[in-house]
Amino acid sequence: MASLKLKNIYKKYPGGVTAVNDFNLDIQDKEFVVLVGPSGCGKSTTLRMIAGLEEITSGELLIDGKLVNDIAPKDRDIAMVFQNYALYPHMTVFENMAFGLKLRKTPKGEIKKRVQEAARILEIEHLLDRSIKALSGGQRQRVALGRAIVREPKVFLMDEPLSNLDAKLRATMRTEIIRLHQRLQTTIIYVTHDQTEAMTMGSRIVVMKDGYIQQVESPQVLYEKPVNKFVAQFIGTPQMNIAEVRVEKSGEDVLLRLGRWTVKLPKRKAEVLERYGYIDKTVLMGIRPEHIHDEPVYIEQFKDCIIEAPIDVIELLGSESLVYFTIEDVSFVSRIKPRHNLYVGDVQRFAINSERVHIFDKDTENIITN
Ligand code: ADP
């Protein structure tokens, strides 16, 4: 059992860098929380403060309701898995996994039992007598996880644990860690810069930028209701299309204008723009690639939201195609079903799914309506 509470946590490094600003988060017992953001946004610093490897400049860290700011790392009941594994190359797999328990003077029989159980969970029982040097990257990663599991910690912290693995193995290990979480039923806090990893693994995702939390949400809500342009473009590949458009009132309708093209907004979004005084102003229109359609049924359904442009590039991905085009110097990408009668240079008609348009303030880049 472990819940965590981070209250107004700051980290100022000597020399003046404020790596983490006013970080507030409640983590429930058994939750899988992922901290994600570009390099340098303060993810590792946050994780290291939770582990006790980095001093908290100000704020409070509570584990199961108990203030632990001044508790030594070894007494926090937390295990950390790093990207470089930090295994002892001259020891066997068994010795590596047993090492921490030995230091803690755990009885021999108990050590053996726990290592074997962890090895069984990770399916590395047959490797226990091997030397670390004789293992592949994926096997080493399992040993590193095993070493954390045997300690039976209340909380697992993982700092980019898969970043040294090749793409295929990374995908496999991603699934394994999700399974591991289900089996162990412990709290996991996981750091990555990879949004796909975050989206597939986390039950809740904390998006960070420049030391500040941007948004904390489930993957689905993050995808559908980003709070600002940064989150909107950080989550999802290819990233959300963004264009500067002008808001116009035409009779009862509210339109977004891009050059000679207009997108008529559904009533709910139109009302929000009007209420907050955006008529005749410039805003940012966001639309995900999969919400720009070329199929006749959508062209009909969104006939007030049509744009046309010659195709710049087509990427055939098998199950889908990415089609790139440019309107008013803004490049767009659309994710459509693969078709064979589509050629670069052809003028193509697309419908913007106006129900799925996100509108951001041009200056603050905060969401106006999703
Ligand atoms: P992330 O894990 O998101 O890549 P970090 O937490 O490692 O980011 O770093 C956040 C910021 O703090 C960066 O600007 C980084 O340069 C700075 N930083 C990290 N560690 C130290 C340190 N030991 N001393 C000074 N600045 C540091």
Side-chain angles (χ1 to χ4, degrees):
M1 293 286 287
S3 62
L4 285 92
K5 193 178 191 69
L6 290 93
K7 269 166 74 178
N8 310 108
I9 300 258
Y10 283 78
K11 177 66 189 185
K12 291 192 177 82
Y13 281 112
V17 179
T18 304
V20 178
N21 275 284
D22 199 18
F23 192 103
N24 287 284
L25 185 67
D26 282 338
I27 299 172
Q28 308 301 319
D29 183 37
K30 303 191 180 67
E31 234 192 319
F32 195 137
V33 171
V34 179
L35 309 185
V36 69
S39 176
C41 72
K43 309 177 295 286
S44 292
T45 300
T46 306
L47 205 67
R48 292 170 60 81
M49 284 192 286
I50 297 172
L53 301 173
E54 206 69 71
E55 200 182 322
I56 296 170
T57 308
S58 66
E60 293 182 342
L61 170 64
L62 296 102
I63 300 180
D64 285 335
K66 189 172 149 229
L67 189 68
V68 298
N69 286 45
D70 299 321
I71 306 253
K74 67 176 179 43
D75 299 324
R76 289 191 189 190
D77 217 353
I78 280 176
M80 188 144 168
V81 182
F82 299 93
Q83 58 177 280
N84 58 7
Y85 320 145
L87 298 171
Y88 302 104
H90 56 281
M91 292 187 195
T92 65
V93 170
F94 184 96
E95 287 163 347
N96 264 279
M97 286 170 66
F99 191 75
L101 297 179
K102 250 188 186 165
L103 283 186
R104 264 156 238 263
K105 309 227 173 346
T106 312
K108 263 202 175 143
E110 176 70 16
I111 292 181
K112 196 162 177 214
K113 198 177 115 225
R114 287 209 212 167
V115 170
Q116 270 168 350
E117 173 62 12
R120 191 185 58 77
I121 290 173
L122 293 162
E123 294 171 12
I124 51 170
E125 288 158 292
H126 60 295
L127 301 175
L128 284 173
D129 295 328
R130 284 232 199 135
S131 120
I132 293 296
K133 279 184 262 172
L135 300 184
S136 70
Q139 290 168 333
R140 286 179 198 203
Q141 187 56 60
R142 283 198 188 96
V143 178
L145 286 169
R147 193 176 45 181
I149 292 174
V150 295
R151 291 185 39 204
E152 299 177 354
K154 284 204 230 170
V155 185
F156 282 97
L157 305 180
M158 303 192 181
D159 192 353
E160 305 255 9
L162 307 184
S163 61
N164 286 338
L165 306 178
D166 65 46
K168 198 164 161 228
L169 194 52
R170 211 156 53 220
T172 314
M173 287 304 291
R174 219 153 65 193
T175 326
E176 290 206 9
I177 293 178
I178 297 169
R179 257 196 237 127
L180 192 63
H181 174 242
Q182 287 161 356
R183 261 191 233 145
L184 298 176
Q185 299 273 314
T186 48
T187 312
I188 297 185
I189 309 174
Y190 188 103
V191 159
T192 178
H193 65 277
D194 179 342
Q195 65 89 24
T196 310
E197 217 166 277
M199 290 292 276
T200 50
M201 298 179 81
S203 43
R204 239 170 8 128
I205 300 177
V206 180
V207 183
M208 296 180 70
K209 181 193 172 206
D210 299 336
Y212 289 91
I213 292 184
Q214 304 291 303
Q215 190 168 7
V216 183
E217 270 303 348
S218 66
Q220 199 60 30
V221 175
L222 213 51
Y223 195 74
E224 290 173 1
K225 298 189 183 311
V227 294
N228 58 32
K229 175 175 170 250
F230 173 80
V231 175
Q233 292 204 296
F234 189 76
I235 301 292
T237 48
Q239 66 178 16
M240 185 188 283
N241 300 287
I242 302 265
E244 273 193 22
V245 293
R246 191 154 177 89
V247 185
E248 288 180 4
K249 186 94 201 247
S250 165
E252 286 302 298
D253 298 331
V254 173
L255 312 175
L256 301 179
R257 176 173 292 282
L258 178 61
R260 64 193 173 100
W261 307 107
T262 54
V263 171
K264 182 181 145 190
L265 288 180
K267 215 163 174 207
R268 185 180 59 80
K269 294 185 205 275
E271 279 170 6
V272 176
L273 286 188
E274 207 164 1
R275 188 170 348 126
Y276 291 106
Y278 283 102
I279 304 295
D280 294 329
K281 299 249 168 72
T282 301
V283 295
L284 303 177
M285 174 183 81
I287 184 83
R288 293 209 182 271
E290 59 271 38
H291 299 138
I292 302 179
H293 305 283
D294 71 329
E295 289 167 67
V297 43
Y298 287 106
I299 301 282
E300 176 56 28
Q301 185 184 348
F302 296 104
K303 56 178 176 296
D304 298 322
C305 309
I306 300 297
I307 51 177
E308 270 179 27
I311 297 173
D312 296 333
V313 175
I314 303 172
E315 285 176 8
L316 301 169
L317 301 175
S319 62
E320 62 188 34
S321 294
L322 299 177
V323 177
Y324 295 79
F325 56 93
T326 310
I327 294 180
E328 300 286 313
D329 292 334
V330 182
S331 44
F332 286 87
V333 53
S334 147
R335 188 202 302 272
I336 61 173
K337 289 211 182 111
R339 281 207 276 125
H340 293 295
N341 56 345
L342 210 58
Y343 301 98
V344 167
D346 283 359
V347 173
Q348 178 64 37
R349 171 172 289 206
F350 295 99
I352 300 225
N353 181 340
S354 54
E355 298 287 345
R356 308 305 293 264
V357 160
H358 308 261
I359 302 165
F360 305 92
D361 184 282
K362 181 171 165 274
D363 299 321
T364 65
E365 299 187 348
N366 288 334
I367 193 72
I368 303 167
T369 176
N370 271 309

